[in-house]
Amino acid sequence: MSDARAEIFASIRHALGVTGKEAPRRSIIEDRLDHAPKGVVPARGQGDPPTRKEIFKTQALRAQASLAEVASLDAVPAEVAAYLRDNNLAARIRGGADPRLATMTWAETEFVLELAKDGSDLTSIGIAFGGIAETGTLAFVSGTDNPTHLNFLPDHHIAVLQASDIVSDYERLLRKLRMVYGKGLMPRVLNFVTGPSRSADIAHTLLLGAHGPRRLHIIVVNDV
């Protein structure tokens, strides 16, 4: 805070006869933060888990992502292999240290999962923290499990999303984030990703891959 602002606030506190450290005042502020009024939440993403999943799929496809469903995490490598073959991509994919990736049955395919390096690879895979049905958006948190650069640098990004992690709206996603990480704590980066990267800034011509992957393939794992 600048010296001028500090002096102004000090003058206000002096005029009010308070220091800002009074217990009743602090209690009022803490109660206000703990019970903040809820904002308006769109109805589009609401519903039971199957309904939320279908809304998410519709919105993700509308945003030009591709999408597949599998029955379990064990079926993810086969779907990844099919995507790589269908797009004539190399038989290797970069991922982070997420233990769920490590336990998948990669040995049953001819494709190789390698730990993330500098993001210069053509294809990457990551497990999303959650999905938002309202807009078909994925949420990724930073860390060694799912490094942020793998969401942005490769041309193709494959996102694994467990159906049980699809919530109705952004507010519930942020509430889940606080529950997982604890009050007052956050991952260093939280990315919201809706479809592949695109821009139409130049001559109003749509360009895919402007700021990130040209292709986003979402694998929904039906764990609910």
Side-chain angles (χ1 to χ4, degrees):
M1 185 183 299
S2 67
D3 291 341
R5 290 187 66 191
E7 289 178 8
I8 291 170
F9 285 126
S11 298
I12 293 172
R13 284 193 293 269
H14 178 74
L16 295 174
V18 299
T19 66
K21 297 181 180 180
E22 292 82 2
R25 292 171 62 86
R26 294 184 65 85
S27 177
I28 291 171
I29 293 171
E30 290 173 0
D31 182 71
R32 172 69 176 176
L33 293 174
D34 288 338
H35 301 91
K38 296 180 180 179
V40 176
V41 177
R44 181 169 63 192
Q46 309 302 313
D48 59 14
T51 300
R52 291 199 302 268
K53 185 184 74 171
E54 292 306 312
I55 296 171
F56 174 87
K57 288 165 53 181
T58 298
Q59 296 301 111
L61 292 171
R62 183 174 295 171
Q64 296 184 294
S66 56
L67 191 143
E69 292 186 66
V70 297
S72 67
L73 287 172
D74 285 341
V76 168
E79 173 57 33
V80 170
Y83 178 85
L84 297 180
R85 280 194 299 266
D86 291 346
N87 290 277
N88 198 29
L89 296 169
R92 57 172 39 84
I93 188 168
R94 289 288 181 187
D98 194 304
R100 289 169 291 181
L101 287 177
T103 58
M104 291 178 186
T105 54
W106 298 100
E108 297 180 7
T109 72
E110 69 273 29
F111 293 86
V112 178
L113 172 70
E114 298 180 342
L115 288 179
K117 291 184 179 178
D118 58 3
S120 60
D121 298 271
L122 192 61
T123 312
S124 64
I125 186 171
I127 296 184
F129 177 80
I132 301 169
E134 178 187 337
T135 53
T137 298
L138 296 167
F140 292 95
V141 295
S142 60
T144 55
D145 284 359
N146 293 283
T148 295
H149 68 267
L150 293 185
N151 302 342
F152 288 95
L153 297 181
D155 261 7
H156 297 254
H157 183 56
I158 298 176
V160 179
L161 173 64
Q162 296 186 242
S164 58
D165 290 328
I166 298 176
V167 298
S168 55
D169 48 68
Y170 287 83
E171 287 79 2
R172 282 178 173 78
L173 190 284
L174 294 173
R175 191 181 308 162
K176 174 187 173 184
L177 192 72
R178 287 191 291 269
M179 289 176 60
V180 171
Y181 284 86
K183 185 177 180 179
L185 300 174
M186 286 283 278
R188 185 175 184 182
V189 177
L190 168 64
N191 288 310
F192 291 120
V193 176
T194 308
S197 172
R198 65 178 74 86
S199 174
D201 290 344
I202 301 175
H204 301 287
T205 300
L206 183 64
L207 174 67
L208 294 177
H211 313 102
R214 291 187 298 110
R215 295 283 304 274
L216 173 66
H217 185 60
I218 304 170
I219 303 176
V220 177
V221 180
N222 288 316
D223 58 344
V224 292

XYZ file of all heavy atoms in Angstrom, residues 11 15 17 19 24 28 40 50 62 68 100 111 156 169 177 185 220:
130
model
N -6.278 7.965 8.869
C -7.123 9.101 9.269
C -8.567 8.662 9.463
O -9.250 9.090 10.399
C -7.054 10.211 8.214
O -5.727 10.709 8.095
N -10.690 8.805 12.931
C -11.964 9.521 13.032
C -13.064 8.613 13.561
O -13.956 9.055 14.298
C -12.352 10.089 11.671
N -12.480 6.058 15.490
C -12.091 5.547 16.797
C -11.893 4.050 16.820
O -12.166 3.402 17.835
N -9.364 0.529 15.319
C -8.049 0.117 14.811
C -8.174 -0.924 13.706
O -7.214 -1.189 12.990
C -7.195 -0.485 15.943
O -7.805 -1.699 16.388
C -7.065 0.492 17.101
N -15.336 -7.852 17.579
C -16.665 -7.854 16.938
C -16.608 -7.503 15.460
O -17.315 -8.110 14.647
C -17.440 -6.792 17.739
C -16.745 -6.724 19.050
C -15.298 -6.950 18.729
N -17.708 -9.959 12.311
C -18.696 -9.588 11.294
C -18.141 -9.830 9.895
O -18.826 -10.362 9.012
C -19.113 -8.114 11.469
C -19.920 -7.936 12.763
C -19.916 -7.633 10.259
C -20.195 -6.497 13.120
N -26.474 -15.310 -9.254
C -27.401 -15.989 -10.156
C -26.650 -17.082 -10.918
O -25.588 -16.823 -11.503
C -28.021 -14.991 -11.153
C -28.918 -15.717 -12.149
C -28.812 -13.922 -10.401
N -26.225 -38.128 -14.778
C -26.356 -38.455 -16.206
C -26.761 -37.252 -17.054
O -26.272 -37.078 -18.177
C -27.437 -39.545 -16.217
C -27.384 -40.147 -14.852
C -27.073 -39.010 -13.942
N -20.051 -28.660 -29.239
C -20.379 -27.364 -29.835
C -19.150 -26.461 -29.878
O -19.021 -25.616 -30.768
C -21.504 -26.707 -29.036
C -21.997 -25.384 -29.585
C -23.203 -24.905 -28.814
N -24.345 -25.795 -28.997
C -25.483 -25.698 -28.301
N -25.609 -24.771 -27.370
N -26.469 -26.540 -28.532
N -15.050 -38.974 -26.664
C -15.326 -40.413 -26.629
C -15.657 -40.793 -25.197
O -15.261 -40.099 -24.247
C -14.124 -41.208 -27.126
N -2.910 -42.026 -11.630
C -3.960 -42.693 -12.416
C -3.462 -43.015 -13.825
O -3.816 -44.051 -14.387
C -5.208 -41.816 -12.471
C -5.945 -41.728 -11.138
C -7.002 -40.655 -11.157
N -6.411 -39.318 -11.220
C -7.105 -38.179 -11.225
N -8.433 -38.233 -11.189
N -6.490 -37.013 -11.269
N 1.465 -48.244 -27.961
C 1.792 -46.842 -27.745
C 2.450 -46.651 -26.376
O 2.201 -47.391 -25.434
C 0.537 -45.979 -27.868
C -0.015 -45.969 -29.270
C -0.876 -46.958 -29.697
C 0.372 -44.998 -30.165
C -1.369 -46.978 -30.995
C -0.109 -44.998 -31.462
C -0.980 -45.983 -31.879
N -1.911 -31.495 -30.113
C -3.059 -32.328 -29.749
C -3.031 -32.551 -28.234
O -2.006 -32.968 -27.684
C -2.996 -33.694 -30.444
C -3.064 -33.605 -31.936
N -4.192 -33.954 -32.649
C -2.144 -33.219 -32.856
C -3.961 -33.781 -33.943
N -2.728 -33.342 -34.091
N -21.952 -26.064 -12.758
C -21.591 -24.678 -13.052
C -20.236 -24.334 -12.435
O -19.642 -25.113 -11.690
C -22.673 -23.724 -12.537
C -23.077 -24.046 -11.096
O -22.249 -23.848 -10.197
O -24.221 -24.509 -10.889
N -13.005 -27.083 -5.580
C -11.587 -26.759 -5.480
C -11.218 -26.400 -4.039
O -10.202 -26.864 -3.509
C -11.263 -25.600 -6.421
C -9.789 -25.298 -6.666
C -9.158 -26.367 -7.544
C -9.639 -23.927 -7.326
N -6.289 -21.945 0.392
C -5.227 -22.553 -0.404
C -5.726 -22.775 -1.828
O -6.891 -23.065 -2.042
C -4.787 -23.890 0.198
C -4.239 -23.843 1.623
C -3.992 -25.256 2.124
C -2.952 -23.029 1.688
N -14.309 -39.271 -21.707
C -15.138 -39.285 -20.503
C -15.169 -40.710 -19.961
O -15.541 -41.649 -20.668
C -16.563 -38.790 -20.813
C -17.440 -38.894 -19.554
C -16.543 -37.356 -21.320
